[in-house]
Amino acid sequence: MDEVMNNIIEVKNVTYEYTDEDNRFTAVKNLSLDIERGSFTVILGHNGSGKSTLAKMLNGLNKPTRGDVFVDGINTKAEETEIEVKRKVGMVFQNPDNQIIASIVEEDVAFGPENLGIPPEEIRQRVDSALATVDMADFKKSTPHHLSGGQKQRIAIAGMIAMEPECLVLDEPTAMLDPKGRAEIISTLLRLNKEKGMTVVLITHYMEEAENADRVIVMNDGEIIADDKPKTIFSDVKRLKDVGLDVPQTAELLYKLKSEGFGVDTHALSVEEAAEQIIKALGTFTDSEEK
């Protein structure tokens, strides 16, 4: 029972198939995983790996062909609790323009709570709080289409926060943004997780977005091929490259140095940690040369 309470999402032996008149494609294959409450999990994979299909199953947008997904103990297949599942797990997608529907920022953020039947006074409080959380309070009277891509995506996230979900699932939310916009979104998500205790599941193909996660899951061909802490995942450079993924530049550099015989720890991930390893390795190399 404690295990159920500790996991906000549980995926049990799930398979998902896309079918049409002529073809059947299995996007997710007999996959199981748990998402711990309050954690920050990143799911990586190249296009076609099944990560976006999985994301849509985490709040019931996709129903498993076989197996079950539970949100806080609720089966996502149960029609009578579908709204409850979506209240608990909010979804943010790749293109913010497809999610913003109102002509004024504060009206857009209020849309979700209004649909939940929240009293007007509480909606105003939720909207103000959500906009402050994503650092967009100064833009509440603005027109969304005048904002940058990163600002629009923060508005989309605010709309989800105003609905007060326990978990936020984001399907490649930075894919259409420039580096500045990507940094804004990742900073916002980390703050939501660390300061607000919100469970975050981030689907991405940008390796650097996974560096500060609690856990990284790597998918390939509809299956999980790795599941561990970022430092462990990115130390296995060859495995990631074999499935078409890049690695953070620090991991790549340390991997090459290790291949050349330098005694570096490939689990170092931050720039500071990598620099320490390089200085240490160069010092050892210099000492051996002098002897």
Side-chain angles (χ1 to χ4, degrees):
M1 187 69 179
D2 287 341
E3 182 183 351
V4 173
M5 294 300 292
N6 195 43
N7 295 322
I8 181 67
I9 297 173
E10 296 179 315
V11 179
K12 304 291 188 184
N13 305 114
V14 159
T15 293
Y16 189 89
E17 295 176 345
Y18 292 99
T19 58
D20 57 31
E21 293 179 358
D22 304 312
N23 299 295
R24 174 176 292 179
F25 172 68
T26 305
V28 174
K29 304 172 182 176
N30 194 33
L31 185 149
S32 295
L33 66 91
D34 296 332
I35 302 296
E36 186 176 352
R37 198 181 303 273
S39 63
F40 192 121
T41 300
V42 170
I43 301 178
L44 297 174
H46 60 72
N47 290 337
S49 64
K51 63 187 189 299
S52 289
T53 300
L54 173 62
K56 292 181 180 70
M57 283 193 283
L58 299 183
N59 87 327
L61 279 177
N62 285 347
K63 312 294 185 189
T65 307
R66 291 185 293 278
D68 296 285
V69 177
F70 297 92
V71 171
D72 209 13
I74 303 170
N75 195 319
T76 61
K77 290 179 178 177
E79 292 183 10
E80 64 272 17
T81 51
E82 192 163 350
I83 293 177
E84 183 66 17
V85 166
K86 288 178 171 55
R87 283 181 177 178
K88 289 179 178 290
V89 181
M91 283 284 301
V92 176
F93 296 98
Q94 186 178 112
N95 189 344
D97 288 326
N98 293 341
Q99 296 174 258
I100 294 174
I101 57 174
S103 58
I104 302 296
V105 164
E106 64 178 355
E107 293 175 3
D108 190 83
V109 177
F111 181 79
E114 286 171 350
N115 281 344
L116 294 177
I118 305 299
E121 180 128 349
E122 185 178 343
I123 289 176
R124 280 192 291 273
Q125 293 173 352
R126 288 194 186 194
V127 168
D128 289 344
S129 176
L131 287 171
T133 298
V134 299
D135 288 333
M136 291 295 289
D138 292 341
F139 296 87
K140 70 178 184 178
K141 299 293 185 184
S142 299
T143 304
H145 71 260
H146 287 152
L147 302 176
S148 69
Q151 289 172 325
K152 288 179 184 177
Q153 196 62 286
R154 281 190 280 165
I155 294 302
I157 292 171
M160 283 297 141
I161 294 172
M163 296 173 71
E164 296 189 351
E166 295 181 43
C167 176
L168 198 58
V169 177
L170 304 102
D171 186 12
E172 302 205 51
T174 65
M176 303 182 69
L177 306 181
D178 59 22
K180 181 177 181 292
R182 291 206 301 270
E184 289 173 352
I185 297 306
I186 298 306
S187 175
T188 298
L189 296 179
L190 287 169
R191 192 167 65 251
L192 281 172
N193 175 248
K194 303 305 179 190
E195 297 179 9
K196 304 289 185 180
M198 185 176 288
T199 307
V200 175
V201 180
L202 172 64
I203 316 295
T204 185
H205 60 266
Y206 290 113
M207 302 299 109
E208 66 272 16
E209 293 182 0
E211 292 180 9
N212 293 310
D214 299 314
R215 172 187 183 193
V216 175
I217 295 169
V218 182
M219 290 188 66
N220 185 57
D221 196 24
E223 299 176 318
I224 293 174
I225 63 166
D227 181 353
D228 215 318
K229 293 187 180 298
K231 288 184 178 183
T232 303
I233 293 293
F234 292 126
S235 68
D236 196 350
V237 173
K238 183 179 184 304
R239 187 179 196 183
L240 294 176
K241 287 183 173 290
D242 284 346
V243 295
L245 294 174
D246 289 324
V247 296
Q249 292 180 335
T250 51
E252 175 91 37
L253 176 58
L254 293 173
Y255 172 73
K256 289 181 177 179
L257 288 172
K258 185 86 169 180
S259 300
E260 294 294 327
F262 287 91
V264 294
D265 180 1
T266 55
H267 287 77
L269 193 54
S270 70
V271 172
E272 293 77 15
E273 290 172 333
E276 285 179 12
Q277 287 298 313
I278 292 168
I279 292 168
K280 181 180 175 182
L282 289 175
T284 304
F285 179 76
T286 303
D287 290 343
S288 64
E289 284 285 291
E290 288 175 352
K291 291 176 182 176

